[in-house]
Amino acid sequence: MTKIEKCGIANCGLTAAASLESETLCREHFISACYARLDQYDEIRNGTGLRTGDMESVRRFINESTRQADAMEQTAKGLDNLDRAKLVHIILSASELGRHLRRSPRKIAAIAVRLSSEKLGGAWEEDTETVLVSRYGALVRCKHPAKAGETVQVQRADTGESALARVAWQRPTGTEDVRVGVEFLSSENFWGLDWGAVEEAR
Ligand SMILES: [Zn+2]
């Protein structure tokens, strides 16, 4: 955050450290807002289930909360162990929620991409292809080890378009042919597919 903003919760007045759905929040209120949303989604999931219309907002929440909790956990000054544990809990709960949502339509498609990681001390790039694509990410062949939570850049070989993605998980399928599941942080419909039609075709 470049300019100093205040937490949007009435009577708080602390410096904003994050935002959710464009509301600025201090660290404490960000944590409690994330917990409230995660509880709410738990209830929906155990009850009526999520509707397709809710999925976009849940996705947005997962992306926003994970990215910011992760950044906060790594960079915030004066973070005590309890706050740190809460942030890690948010990241894990959000990724678990993401796994539940991953029933969104997927399409088997080999699309040539370049994966690159700017990991400190271990940057790499690899020309490879997808195995499976979904609206929110892809399963990609990848020889380089990538840990869950790491950020990678995905660039399409055909259009040159690129987007940041987070490694959600990695599945070794032998010694050489490792696959990673990635979820986009920034792109809407990176693959340019008509997902409504993909869903109907299932
Ligand atoms: Zn606050």
Side-chain angles (χ1 to χ4, degrees):
M1 208 158 282
T2 45
K3 61 178 180 183
I4 297 191
E5 284 183 85
K6 296 285 182 211
C7 175
I9 303 290
N11 302 324
C12 175
L14 290 174
T15 304
S19 67
L20 270 186
E21 311 242 288
S22 52
E23 181 173 38
T24 57
L25 297 165
C26 65
R27 184 162 78 220
E28 197 186 319
H29 281 121
F30 169 74
I31 290 173
S32 57
C34 286
Y35 269 75
R37 291 284 291 269
L38 288 165
D39 282 351
Q40 189 194 339
Y41 292 138
D42 261 352
E43 277 177 29
I44 296 175
R45 229 167 59 194
N46 296 332
T48 54
L50 287 164
R51 292 161 197 261
T52 318
D54 299 328
M55 304 259 278
E56 285 296 321
S57 102
V58 179
R59 275 281 156 192
R60 218 165 27 237
F61 168 74
I62 292 171
N63 283 343
E64 279 188 331
S65 60
T66 307
R67 198 177 58 230
Q68 296 182 96
D70 189 43
M72 216 179 272
E73 202 263 325
Q74 287 184 28
T75 62
K77 295 188 181 79
L79 199 61
D80 63 26
N81 285 338
L82 182 61
D83 278 351
R84 194 177 295 278
K86 285 178 177 170
L87 290 169
V88 170
H89 180 73
I90 288 168
I91 295 169
L92 293 177
S93 304
S95 94
E96 213 237 290
L97 182 59
R99 274 196 293 279
H100 275 262
L101 293 193
R102 220 166 285 130
R103 291 193 206 109
S104 81
R106 297 155 154 227
K107 189 175 168 60
I108 293 172
I111 299 173
V113 292
R114 171 171 293 179
L115 284 186
S116 50
S117 163
E118 311 221 311
K119 193 166 47 175
L120 268 182
W124 53 266
E125 62 177 39
E126 180 174 335
D127 290 321
T128 181
E129 61 179 22
T130 61
V131 179
L132 202 66
V133 299
S134 78
R135 183 175 196 123
Y136 307 104
L139 180 64
V140 191
R141 284 183 218 288
C142 174
K143 292 192 173 74
H144 291 84
K147 285 206 191 79
E150 280 177 16
T151 303
V152 291
Q153 181 108 25
V154 183
Q155 184 175 28
R156 289 180 66 151
D158 53 356
T159 62
E161 201 188 331
S162 68
L164 278 181
R166 181 173 179 277
V167 175
W169 46 271
Q170 183 186 44
R171 185 173 73 187
T173 57
T175 47
E176 287 282 283
D177 183 26
V178 175
R179 296 166 179 202
V180 293
V182 298
E183 293 176 343
F184 295 122
L185 295 174
S186 51
S187 180
E188 291 287 320
N189 205 6
F190 183 67
W191 306 116
L193 292 167
D194 178 351
W195 289 102
V198 172
E199 183 147 34
E200 273 169 26
R202 282 201 297 176

